[in-house]
Amino acid sequence: MDSRYTGRRDPSRVVTDSGVDHVRLAYDYLDAGDLDGYGSLLDAGALGAELEGPRPPGARHLITRIVADGDCVIAMGRLAPQQRDFVDVFTLSAEGMLSGCRRYYATATSPP
């Protein structure tokens, strides 16, 4: 199946599954402060700062759900102890490495 956004072929399921493993490891490395380990998961042209902006010391990612299809992995979770919900949308390289990420935060809603 052709990707409707890039005009290229979707990666194999093995590459997508490898990308999911890399996403899980990325959060483990970031939470542990292991920037070398985190960097080992990035594609050569990726910018690691895309994933992590400034965050308070001791913050941890509590992942509640991961959804993957082709060259895209979406991780949903909560940043603790701030209790701030987020969604990260990762793009994978052809080898399953992390080549990009965009983070979205939930907005505060007022009670009805």
Side-chain angles (χ1 to χ4, degrees), residues 3-99:
S3 172
R4 56 191 145 167
Y5 300 108
T6 63
R8 62 186 173 134
R9 304 220 24 106
D10 284 338
S12 72
R13 189 71 206 163
V14 171
V15 169
T16 303
D17 290 346
S18 174
V20 169
D21 289 341
H22 288 155
V23 166
R24 289 182 193 280
L25 280 170
Y27 292 118
D28 288 343
Y29 287 146
L30 287 169
D31 290 346
D34 183 354
L35 298 181
D36 289 333
Y38 172 67
S40 72
L41 303 173
L42 301 179
D43 184 59
L47 297 175
E50 289 181 345
L51 173 60
E52 275 301 304
R55 66 182 179 103
R60 297 198 48 84
H61 296 90
L62 306 173
I63 305 305
T64 57
R65 186 168 189 182
I66 294 180
V67 179
D69 186 41
D71 64 351
C72 180
V73 178
I74 299 171
M76 294 166 261
R78 179 169 283 211
L79 196 59
Q82 298 78 9
Q83 301 305 313
R84 189 164 185 199
D85 293 330
F86 68 89
V87 174
D88 285 338
V89 180
F90 292 89
T91 304
L92 304 176
S93 70
E95 296 78 28
M97 303 303 285
L98 307 180
S99 64

